[in-house]
Amino acid sequence: IYSKTSYHYGGENMLRSFYWYIMFGITLLATTPKLLIVRYLEKQGKVKEKDDYVFKQVKKWARGNVKRSGAKLNIHGLENIPEDGPVVFVSNHQGAFDIALFLSHIPKPTGFIAKIEMKTKPLLSNWMKHIYCVFMDRQSLKGSASAILEGVNLLKQGKSLVIFPEGTRSKSDQIGEFKPASMKLAIKAKAPIIPVTIDGSYKVFEKNNKRITPDTVNVFIHPVIETKNLTKEEQNELCSKVYDIIRSKLPLQENNKKM
């Protein structure tokens, strides 16, 4: 009975994965004409209209990908997101699915601090540029400093950003060390930080060798942390403070390292 059940769900997930990957490519390709509209609005200098249109299209595309995964999402604390003004969402990073979660279910347009390699992805990189993503070369001190400066400028222009201070996906319910420099973005721009805990996203993608597997994902949006007028000591403790808040909603594990 066990083997038959396992075979049934394995086959079902294989079919779901095949369908999901096919639709990912088809729906992404189908956004090409919409990029022409984006470029037209850009040329016309209609920045607000362009940003609203981009947010609507990206949100719709991301929601489709989440829905087709079969994942059950529980979003807690949406009331903690201010309607006005830029914020820096600081989140743990369990898997590739995290990006879709932010784009589809966070009611605030956001860009991401993304690895430089994403800049070479056809179509995806076009949309990433239009949602004001910052591409960071983590192998270069100059590249990292340049990315932080670009992010600060975007925040001062009123754009919100998401940063994953672990620097890479944990692919598990573990949480890695936070890079202390990751808080510089918010501190330099004097932008409020919203800690976010993602619990379970790795189960949808990474846990089963990139085979799409429906599972429950909990997202906890914590209260705002203001960064204006922080003392030097408070700035130094900020990374540890955010880490502890995010970790508080994850399963307790001995090998979870604190930064």
Side-chain angles (χ1 to χ4, degrees):
I1 294 173
Y2 174 77
S3 60
K4 286 183 179 179
T5 302
S6 299
Y7 178 80
H8 170 73
Y9 285 112
E12 185 178 286
N13 288 338
M14 187 175 290
L15 287 174
R16 181 186 293 275
S17 299
F18 179 76
Y19 175 69
W20 189 90
Y21 281 110
I22 290 293
M23 290 304 296
F24 179 93
I26 289 174
T27 55
L28 180 59
L29 191 61
T31 65
T32 304
K34 295 171 183 177
L35 278 172
L36 298 176
I37 297 174
V38 173
R39 286 167 189 156
Y40 171 77
L41 292 171
E42 203 168 42
K43 285 183 179 179
Q44 294 295 310
K46 299 179 178 180
V47 179
K48 177 67 166 59
E49 291 89 338
K50 172 239 173 185
D51 287 349
D52 289 345
Y53 181 78
V54 168
F55 178 57
K56 180 180 177 182
Q57 297 306 319
V58 169
K59 191 179 187 71
K60 180 180 177 182
W61 181 73
R63 273 187 178 270
N65 286 315
V66 172
K67 185 177 181 180
R68 284 187 290 273
S69 75
K72 179 186 176 183
L73 301 185
N74 298 316
I75 313 290
H76 311 269
L78 285 171
E79 69 278 3
N80 291 322
I81 302 176
E83 290 185 14
D84 302 317
V87 300
V88 178
F89 292 99
V90 179
S91 174
N92 64 313
H93 195 15
Q94 292 191 345
F97 200 65
D98 298 342
I99 309 294
L101 294 181
F102 271 100
L103 293 176
S104 62
H105 285 80
I106 299 300
K108 197 174 185 72
T110 58
F112 294 81
I113 304 296
K115 57 185 180 181
I116 193 74
E117 291 81 4
M118 292 301 298
K119 211 170 185 177
T120 64
K121 304 292 183 183
L123 280 179
L124 271 178
S125 61
N126 295 92
W127 285 106
M128 289 178 74
K129 289 172 187 174
H130 287 302
I131 63 172
Y132 302 102
C133 286
V134 176
F135 299 96
M136 178 181 283
D137 182 1
R138 294 189 175 93
Q139 305 304 314
S140 163
L141 287 175
K142 185 178 179 181
S144 296
S146 177
I148 289 174
L149 181 59
E150 183 182 348
V152 169
N153 289 334
L154 285 172
L155 288 164
K156 288 181 176 179
Q157 292 170 30
K159 314 299 181 187
S160 294
L161 290 170
V162 177
I163 186 166
F164 300 113
E166 291 166 276
T168 187
R169 293 169 288 161
S170 66
K171 301 181 183 180
S172 68
D173 58 5
Q174 306 285 306
I175 181 170
E177 294 184 9
F178 280 11
K179 309 294 187 292
S182 60
M183 299 298 144
K184 287 183 180 179
L185 196 68
I187 292 171
K188 287 181 178 293
K190 296 185 178 179
I193 287 173
I194 298 184
V196 178
T197 305
I198 297 175
D199 180 21
S201 65
Y202 72 96
K203 299 175 185 177
V204 180
F205 187 67
E206 282 83 3
K207 186 178 180 181
N208 294 292
N209 296 317
K210 299 184 180 179
R211 183 179 295 178
I212 303 299
T213 306
D215 215 306
T216 300
V217 181
N218 290 297
V219 179
F220 300 91
I221 301 164
H222 302 276
V224 168
I225 298 175
E226 293 293 343
T227 63
K228 292 180 180 178
N229 306 316
L230 291 179
T231 65
K232 193 67 178 176
E233 184 180 358
E234 289 171 331
Q235 289 181 22
N236 293 335
E237 294 174 350
L238 184 60
C239 191
S240 180
K241 178 180 180 180
V242 173
Y243 179 98
D244 287 340
I245 291 170
I246 292 173
R247 189 187 178 200
S248 69
K249 290 296 185 180
L250 290 171
L252 292 176
Q253 296 189 23
E254 291 182 6
N255 56 344
N256 267 352
K257 295 187 213 175
K258 186 172 180 179
M259 62 72 50

